[in-house]
Amino acid sequence: MPELVDLRAVEHAYRTKAGPVPALGPLDLRVAAGEFVVVVGPSGSGKSTLLRVLAGFERPSTGDITLLGHPPVPGRDVGVVFQQPRLFPWRTVAGNIGAALRWADVPKPNRPARTAELLSSVGLGDLGTRRIWEISGGQQQRVAIARALAAQPRLLLMDEPFAALDALTRERLQEDVRSLAEGDRAVVFVTHSVDEAVFLGTRIIVLTDRPGRIALDLPIDLPRHAVPADELRGSPQYAALRGEVAAAVRATVS
Ligand SMILES: Nc1ncnc2c1ncn2[C@@H]1O[C@H](COP(=O)(O)OP(=O)(O)OP(=O)(O)O)[C@@H](O)[C@H]1O
Ligand SMILES: [Mg+2]
């Protein structure tokens, strides 16, 4: 069985008029199904570049990347959620999901049931007929997550998806997305929040300053499903991990 994600000696530099800008690597990374990998690091350290490479939007300058044994093809295998939901404002909630199902080649007769299923999986079961401007920012981000799941991707990439939300909405969404990396799917999630990283990750990767290399690769072994979210956030184990990750992030910029 090929590894879900396999990056070997990957480096990426952007080409600009002033010359190449090294943004990422060299970096080796393997991710297995079921992992929820959270990437943290200073601004400009190459986190979004890593996601773009994983999504197949950018081909790395050097090194090899494979998803399930083949180079990533944008829109296939991989779902992406950005900081802003980037929905079609003129469509309804269900219409946005329907469009994604069409791109994913889901036959038309199957789309209404799949739409209902996807919306209910993100807690929006009854909002299908609303327009995008008639729902809140947190609900819009839920639609964006449902849309990213439309093609049943094995890999879900999330780039600071909750950064623009208020604290309470953010906590609720964090609790809901923890289960997205179960079964045969993996998630790679970028955040600036160490707290969010420890709460969500089964593994945390801290990137160095640009070009981003792996400064820390830390498995997080918290009893996340066995105890209520509040209890987890208040536990000494959680505080210790948060301290360890925060120190590693500080060390990248000193
Ligand atoms: N299209 C581009 N052309 C040239 N340089 C770029 C381009 N996109 C990003 N960069 C540069 O590559 C580096 C990494 O950028 P990237 O967006 O991956 O950082 P990041 O870790 O996601 O930052 P942030 O936390 O601010 O989102 C930065 O120095 C950035 O200026
Ligand atoms: Mg970024």
Side-chain angles (χ1 to χ4, degrees), residues 42-49 51-52 83 159-160 190 192:
S43 184
S45 61
K47 302 181 296 298
S48 296
T49 303
L51 292 198
R52 284 202 285 271
Q83 184 172 340
D159 197 350
E160 301 189 52
V190 168
H192 276 109

Side-chain angles (χ1 to χ4, degrees), residues 108 132 141 192 253:
K108 198 168 180 182
I132 295 307
Q141 205 51 298
H192 276 109
V253 287

Side-chain angles (χ1 to χ4, degrees), residues 200-219:
L200 289 176
T202 60
R203 175 180 173 194
I204 295 178
I205 287 177
V206 178
L207 289 188
T208 64
D209 215 349
R210 184 178 76 83
R213 285 139 293 147
I214 294 177
L216 178 72
D217 186 346
L218 184 71

Side-chain angles (χ1 to χ4, degrees), residues 161-182:
F162 307 149
L165 303 176
D166 67 274
L168 192 61
T169 306
R170 188 169 183 158
E171 280 193 6
R172 290 229 183 94
L173 273 157
Q174 286 169 354
E175 284 159 31
D176 289 348
V177 301
R178 285 194 301 177
S179 57
L180 290 176
E182 278 162 11

